[in-house]
Amino acid sequence: MNVKKVQKRKRIAAVTTAITTAAVMASTAAPAFAKPVQGVSASGILTAEAENASAMPTTIPMAEKQVAERTAAAQAAHAAKDVAKGELDTAKEASDKAAADKKAVDSDARNAFNKVKADAQSAEDTAKSAVSEAQSDVDNAAKNIAAAEKNVTEATAKDTDAKSKLKTAERNAAYAHVTEAVVAQDKVKMNDAKAKFDKAEEAVQKAQEKLTAAHKAAVAAGADLAAKEQALKDAAPEARAAAQEALNKARAAEEAARKNLNQATLEADDAAAKSATAQEQYEELRDDYDEHLGIWQEVLDKRAAASAASKALAEAQTALASARQNAADAPARLQAAKDRLRSARDTNARAQALAYKGAETPDTTDADFMHLNPYIQRLRSAIEAAKHADEALAEKQTAYDEAKAKAAQADADKLAAEVNLYMLKQAAEKKESSKAEGVQPEKAQSERMRGKHAKTASKKREKTSASTSQKLPETGDASSVAMTAALLGTAFVGASAIGSYKGKHMHF
């Protein structure tokens, strides 16, 4: 047996098995909800129809063209997915807004129903209070009239007394010849006398100042005269003439000072006398003014008291008339209050019977509550709008899922094309390298190796398929793109190994 040939076959079979296993694992990595790929059997092996439809190019130019086409297709698929994602986000926002609007409208409607009930209850409570108040007016009507009559009697007595006292004060004023004009004249006279008295006081002050100065001058002149007399006594004979002359002058000055003092004393006494007379006149006029003002003030006070008494009497009379009218109207008011209470109770009963059931709340035909119908209509519209928004969101979600799956499938197709191109290039490089080294492949041996390789791959696929119990989902789903890419990368390495192996050991 040729050991090298056996080893070659084993290596080829191992690489082929790795590629097949990676493809199967890539398929099983997709979510269970993905749809199976058209043309793929339950075992995950391509059917004959699918193999023919997905035949890969066998030349580098065709493979490069396929890569370019699938790259463009993948870009377009991702662009479509981005558009679908934007539309999905917009639909999500619209759905959220519709849900929020529905919640707000529902809250408004519920609050409106609650307010109707609360207002109706408040109206009934107010009507009850009004009935109690009206009943109190009926019950207390006679007592209120009696109290008002008593007040009128007392006010009349006070008014009579005040008017009597006013007449007495006016008689006293007339007897004293006191009028408002007399009081005003007395005030003018008193003020004039006060001004004269103040002026006389000023004259007394000046006269006292003058008297004080004259007294000081007289005392000084007396002292100087005594000194001059002593000097004359003590003077020497030759100085006696001069001392005598000085004494004579001192005596004349002292005499003039005494006359001045006497004059100042007379003026001070006269000023004091005039001030006393002015003060007496002022005090007399002031007493007259105070007396007349007191008499006239009594008239003014009694006038004010009489006016207040008359006003109080008028108010008491008005209150009595009101009490009588209130007593007459009280029964009618009580009946009207009872009628309002009956109506309020009826309205409240109907209001409390209203049941808020959201969109299922029936429209009311009660005229008092028909304003609630628009709330329910708006709620129904909001619910319908939210439903449409959710349906639109579901459609956009489906569209996005499909676009995402297509983008993932396009990525997988692109990767497969790139792997195929790489394998072709690797094979070409190996072939060129072998030619350069002068190695000539044997055609018969190559054909045998291909047959062996095909049989081995077929057996491995069947074995792998038998061990895979679950149905293979679509590999293009977005959630399996990362796993698929990783596994296809493994396949890519395996394919590269095959290409390298063929380049070195197989000849076409």
Side-chain angles (χ1 to χ4, degrees):
M1 173 182 278
N2 192 330
V3 178
K4 290 184 177 181
K5 290 183 178 180
V6 173
Q7 290 177 344
K8 290 177 181 179
R9 294 191 191 101
K10 288 183 177 180
R11 291 177 65 184
I12 293 172
V15 174
T16 304
T17 300
I19 296 173
T20 304
T21 302
V24 173
M25 292 178 66
S27 299
T28 59
F33 57 81
K35 298 179 180 178
V37 179
Q38 184 178 2
V40 179
S41 67
S43 63
I45 306 301
L46 289 174
T47 62
E49 180 183 354
E51 287 180 348
N52 293 333
S54 61
M56 303 298 284
T58 57
T59 65
I60 291 177
M62 291 297 292
E64 289 177 338
K65 180 181 179 184
Q66 186 185 52
V67 169
E69 290 173 348
R70 292 191 177 184
T71 298
Q75 292 174 347
H78 277 282
K81 185 185 75 170
D82 292 341
V83 172
K85 183 62 168 64
E87 293 177 351
L88 174 62
D89 292 342
T90 301
K92 183 65 168 62
E93 292 177 0
S95 177
D96 291 343
K97 183 179 183 301
D101 291 344
K102 181 180 71 173
K103 183 177 180 181
V105 172
D106 176 70
S107 177
D108 290 343
R110 188 181 303 277
N111 291 338
F113 272 72
N114 291 338
K115 185 177 186 301
V116 162
K117 294 182 179 183
D119 290 348
Q121 184 62 55
S122 177
E124 181 178 344
D125 293 341
T126 301
K128 287 179 181 178
S129 298
V131 169
S132 298
E133 192 174 323
Q135 185 65 55
S136 178
D137 287 345
V138 171
D139 297 340
N140 297 325
K143 183 170 65 175
N144 292 338
I145 291 175
E149 289 175 343
K150 180 181 178 182
N151 290 338
V152 168
T153 300
E154 292 176 353
T156 300
K158 290 179 180 180
D159 180 66
T160 300
D161 181 64
K163 289 178 179 177
S164 174
K165 290 179 179 179
L166 173 60
K167 289 181 179 179
T168 299
E170 289 176 342
R171 281 198 299 269
N172 292 336
Y175 180 78
H177 303 289
V178 175
T179 62
E180 186 175 3
V182 170
V183 172
Q185 291 174 359
D186 288 346
K187 187 175 183 180
V188 171
K189 291 178 181 178
M190 178 188 69
N191 291 337
D192 290 343
K194 181 64 169 60
K196 291 178 179 179
F197 172 58
D198 292 340
K199 188 175 181 180
E201 282 292 294
E202 292 177 2
V204 169
Q205 183 65 26
K206 290 179 179 180
Q208 285 295 333
E209 292 174 355
K210 185 178 179 180
L211 176 60
T212 299
H215 182 268
K216 289 181 179 180
V219 171
D224 185 60
L225 177 60
K228 293 298 189 290
E229 288 176 346
Q230 185 63 39
L232 178 61
K233 290 179 181 180
D234 297 336
E238 63 276 12
R240 289 183 65 82
Q244 184 62 50
E245 184 178 356
L247 176 61
N248 293 338
K249 290 181 179 179
R251 213 178 256 127
E254 190 273 337
E255 185 178 355
R258 274 191 290 105
K259 288 181 180 179
N260 217 11
L261 177 59
N262 292 335
Q263 182 61 32
T265 300
L266 291 174
E267 291 177 359
D269 292 342
D270 183 61
K274 290 180 179 179
S275 176
T277 301
Q279 181 177 3
E280 183 180 355
Q281 291 176 349
Y282 162 67
E283 290 177 352
E284 182 179 351
L285 292 174
R286 184 188 63 189
D287 292 341
D288 290 344
Y289 171 74
D290 290 342
E291 181 183 358
H292 294 164
L293 178 61
I295 294 172
W296 187 247
Q297 188 63 48
E298 182 71 11
V299 173
L300 296 179
D301 291 343
K302 293 302 182 284
R303 282 180 181 176
S307 177
S310 296
K311 183 178 180 181
L313 175 58
E315 291 175 351
Q317 290 172 340
T318 300
L320 175 58
S322 178
R324 288 171 177 169
Q325 186 63 45
N326 186 61
D329 297 341
R333 284 201 309 275
L334 175 59
Q335 186 57 48
K338 289 180 177 179
D339 293 341
R340 287 194 296 272
L341 175 58
R342 188 179 303 107
S343 176
R345 281 177 174 166
D346 175 68
T347 301
N348 190 29
R350 287 183 285 112
Q352 302 306 323
L354 294 173
Y356 179 70
K357 302 177 182 179
E360 301 302 321
T361 306
D363 291 343
T364 180
T365 56
D366 192 325
D368 289 332
F369 309 120
M370 288 183 67
H371 66 280
L372 296 174
N373 290 337
Y375 286 95
I376 304 304
Q377 293 166 4
R378 284 195 293 271
L379 177 59
R380 291 169 183 162
S381 298
I383 292 174
E384 189 67 19
K387 177 183 177 183
H388 290 327
D390 290 342
E391 291 173 350
L393 176 60
E395 292 176 0
K396 296 300 180 182
Q397 182 67 56
T398 300
Y400 172 67
D401 291 342
E402 292 176 354
K404 184 170 61 172
K406 290 178 181 178
Q409 184 62 54
D411 288 339
D413 293 343
K414 174 188 171 187
L415 181 58
E418 290 173 342
V419 169
N420 181 58
L421 175 60
Y422 180 81
M423 291 174 65
L424 290 174
K425 287 183 177 181
Q426 287 292 98
E429 290 176 3
K430 296 299 180 180
K431 187 174 182 180
E432 290 298 325
S433 177
S434 297
K435 286 182 179 181
E437 294 175 359
V439 180
Q440 297 298 324
E442 297 178 4
K443 185 175 183 180
Q445 184 180 358
S446 175
E447 291 298 329
R448 287 196 299 272
M449 291 297 293
R450 285 184 180 180
K452 293 290 184 178
H453 168 68
K455 290 179 181 179
T456 301
S458 177
K459 289 180 180 180
K460 292 296 182 178
R461 285 195 300 270
E462 292 174 0
K463 184 177 180 181
T464 304
S465 174
S467 64
T468 306
S469 60
Q470 67 179 22
K471 186 177 180 180
L472 293 180
E474 183 181 4
T475 60
D477 187 82
S479 64
S480 65
V481 170
M483 180 64 74
T484 302
L487 295 173
L488 284 176
T490 303
F492 183 92
V493 173
S496 175
I498 291 176
S500 176
Y501 181 83
K502 287 180 179 179
K504 289 181 180 181
H505 303 287
M506 300 181 65
H507 304 281
F508 299 92

